[in-house]
Amino acid sequence: MLSSNRQMALWLMATSLPACALAEDPIRTYDRVEFSVVASSSVATDTVVAYLSRQMEGENAETIADQVNKAVTQSVKQIKQIPDIKVETADYQTTPLYQDDRLVGWRVRQSIRLESSNLPKLSGLLGDLQQNLNLDGINYGVTPESMKRAEDALIEQALASYQQRAERVTHGLGRARYRIVALQITNNAMPVHPGMMAARPMAMAEGPTVEPSERKVQINVTGTIEMLTE
């Protein structure tokens, strides 16, 4: 049996070894190349979001609030009778009006939001609604289903392009083959044409012209390959 002094000496020798002797050697890598490829296309917008509101001013807040509520309620009922158009009420605001630090009246405003993929039907409805409401603006967008189809096609295109470039780099440097050690796919969508229509005055005889715009969809593939000699 070892003496206590001998045991202590062995323990001191073990704890005094350099850290590098205890740690595992790091994995060494060679012939790694990182590069990116991009695939892009334009996708036609297939959904429209319109914002309308009713605003009134007067001395009696309760009276004008009642008038605004009736106008919005009537419009919402009219919209709900039409299929393919979604409607929801938005913000409601009651604002005091002052003149020379004296309360002189109130402003009441309520908004609604419409969404539809049936552009002709929505355009005609907006013309009717502007008898009672103000058209504040229109946004054009792409449905999630359409965006996914466009992205899936671009991902396949970008991956094929990445593989072609990887083979070109590998053979150009005299290596036999390669393997992918890291890969990242990101997407980016941006409007090609402006997607917002300015506000229009009330009581238009016809609805606004609602036409599809486009969005540019871009897929970026960034990865690292390791070239092998055999």
Side-chain angles (χ1 to χ4, degrees), residues 48-122:
V48 175
V49 176
Y51 300 89
L52 300 98
S53 65
R54 180 63 184 266
Q55 178 175 296
M56 297 187 67
E57 296 181 2
E59 296 181 359
N60 190 301
E62 183 177 353
T63 300
I64 60 175
D66 183 63
Q67 294 174 350
V68 169
N69 292 337
K70 286 181 178 179
V72 172
T73 300
Q74 178 183 349
S75 298
V76 170
K77 288 182 179 179
Q78 178 183 354
I79 298 165
K80 287 184 176 181
Q81 295 176 356
I82 303 175
D84 303 329
I85 297 180
K86 300 177 183 179
V87 59
E88 61 182 20
T89 55
D91 61 304
Y92 186 96
Q93 299 175 351
T94 301
T95 306
L97 304 176
Y98 294 93
Q99 185 176 356
D100 298 328
D101 296 330
R102 183 174 61 89
L103 181 65
V104 296
W106 298 86
R107 177 187 298 120
V108 177
R109 183 178 188 274
Q110 185 171 17
S111 302
I112 63 174
R113 177 184 183 275
L114 307 183
E115 180 177 345
S116 179
S117 296
N118 192 326
L119 275 57
K121 186 179 292 186
L122 180 62

Side-chain angles (χ1 to χ4, degrees), residues 7 11-12 17 23 41 76 78 103 124 134 151 155 159-160 191:
Q7 290 176 340
W11 180 83
L12 289 174
L17 288 174
S41 66
V76 170
Q78 178 183 354
L103 181 65
N134 290 320
E151 290 178 348
I155 287 174
L159 289 176

Side-chain angles (χ1 to χ4, degrees), residues 36-220:
S36 302
V37 297
V38 176
S40 63
S41 66
S42 296
V43 181
T45 56
D46 57 1
T47 184
V48 175
V49 176
Y51 300 89
L52 300 98
S53 65
R54 180 63 184 266
Q55 178 175 296
M56 297 187 67
E57 296 181 2
E59 296 181 359
N60 190 301
E62 183 177 353
T63 300
I64 60 175
D66 183 63
Q67 294 174 350
V68 169
N69 292 337
K70 286 181 178 179
V72 172
T73 300
Q74 178 183 349
S75 298
V76 170
K77 288 182 179 179
Q78 178 183 354
I79 298 165
K80 287 184 176 181
Q81 295 176 356
I82 303 175
D84 303 329
I85 297 180
K86 300 177 183 179
V87 59
E88 61 182 20
T89 55
D91 61 304
Y92 186 96
Q93 299 175 351
T94 301
T95 306
L97 304 176
Y98 294 93
Q99 185 176 356
D100 298 328
D101 296 330
R102 183 174 61 89
L103 181 65
V104 296
W106 298 86
R107 177 187 298 120
V108 177
R109 183 178 188 274
Q110 185 171 17
S111 302
I112 63 174
R113 177 184 183 275
L114 307 183
E115 180 177 345
S116 179
S117 296
N118 192 326
L119 275 57
K121 186 179 292 186
L122 180 62
S123 176
L125 176 62
L126 291 177
D128 295 336
L129 292 176
Q130 286 182 95
Q131 305 301 320
N132 293 316
L133 304 176
N134 290 320
L135 176 58
D136 297 329
I138 293 177
N139 277 333
Y140 299 88
V142 180
T143 59
E145 296 79 10
S146 297
M147 182 63 71
K148 183 179 183 302
R149 286 194 297 268
E151 290 178 348
D152 288 346
L154 287 176
I155 287 174
E156 291 184 8
Q157 180 181 337
L159 289 176
S161 178
Y162 188 90
Q163 289 178 316
Q164 292 173 1
R165 183 161 299 181
E167 292 174 359
R168 186 174 296 114
V169 170
T170 300
H171 297 156
L173 293 176
R175 302 299 190 271
R177 58 189 180 89
Y178 72 91
R179 65 174 181 174
I180 298 175
V181 296
L183 196 67
Q184 182 180 20
I185 301 175
T186 57
N187 63 345
N188 183 28
M190 62 192 72
V192 177
H193 305 297
M196 185 71 179
M197 189 193 75
R200 303 252 184 166
M202 284 185 60
M204 293 179 60
E206 299 179 358
T209 301
V210 181
E211 295 182 354
S213 58
E214 291 183 334
R215 285 186 181 272
K216 183 178 180 181
V217 183
Q218 180 174 294
I219 296 294
N220 304 309

